[in-house]
Amino acid sequence: MATHDPASRSSTPRSPDSDLRTDLDAALRTRAELGPEYEAELVESFLEKLDRNVERRVRRQVAEQQVQVARGHRPPGAGSGRSEFWERFAVAVVSLVLAVPLTAIAVVNAGLVGLVVCWAGVVGVNAVHGLAPGTRRRTRADRPDEEWRDEKWG
């Protein structure tokens, strides 16, 4: 079994993914040594580390996007309304395609209640996606006159 020297860990830069792998390996080794009675605590500890890692990545990405916007670049997904249409269309199609087998499974296992719950979920997913801030349909008031002219005549 290899031993890990804390000093060598801090002196060499490592990716967050390799740190998580190391932490997971350590948690698994610790579980093997301590037994299943400490499993919940070990899992909780690892999930907290994972959560901090995800939080750090999200903050970094948001900061990078803010820098890009401050420099005058468009944020990702701020393109034309056409891409927003296709995104909404894709979500609707995929949810309906998945709804067919889910409906069958729900009806077989739970009857009418399963059917209602299944379709409430499908409607809920589509409603949430449609009402999300990034998927709001732009109106003429939101768009400069040049865009309307280009779209109308081009």
Side-chain angles (χ1 to χ4, degrees):
M1 186 180 284
T3 59
H4 295 283
D5 180 21
S8 67
R9 184 176 184 194
S10 63
S11 63
T12 58
R14 297 176 59 156
S15 74
D17 289 337
S18 65
D19 285 343
L20 282 175
R21 277 193 199 94
T22 303
D23 290 342
L24 179 59
D25 289 340
L28 292 173
R29 282 193 309 274
T30 304
R31 184 199 180 273
E33 291 173 9
L34 297 177
E37 57 271 359
Y38 291 100
E39 185 171 340
E41 291 84 2
L42 292 169
V43 169
E44 185 67 31
S45 172
F46 179 75
L47 289 177
E48 286 174 5
K49 290 176 186 177
L50 183 63
D51 191 38
R52 285 192 302 267
N53 188 299
V54 169
E55 224 176 272
R56 186 173 48 248
R57 286 183 182 187
V58 168
R59 273 189 262 124
R60 185 177 62 235
Q61 287 176 347
V62 168
E64 289 171 0
Q65 288 177 357
Q66 288 174 339
V67 167
Q68 293 296 323
V69 169
R71 291 181 179 164
H73 297 102
R74 286 184 167 193
S80 70
R82 289 184 186 107
S83 65
E84 291 175 12
F85 167 78
W86 288 110
E87 181 183 337
R88 287 193 311 268
F89 181 75
V91 168
V93 168
V94 168
S95 67
L96 289 175
V97 167
L98 292 175
V100 172
L102 288 175
T103 299
I105 293 168
V107 168
V108 166
N109 290 317
L112 182 61
V113 173
L115 176 75
V116 171
V117 169
C118 178
W119 279 94
V122 170
V123 170
V125 165
N126 282 284
V128 167
H129 182 73
L131 297 174
T135 59
R136 185 178 69 85
R137 186 166 190 154
R138 290 172 28 172
T139 64
R140 181 174 165 93
D142 295 334
R143 298 168 76 180
D145 287 335
E146 301 83 39
E147 281 188 39
W148 281 95
R149 272 184 261 154
D150 292 345
E151 192 172 288
K152 183 178 177 183
W153 304 107

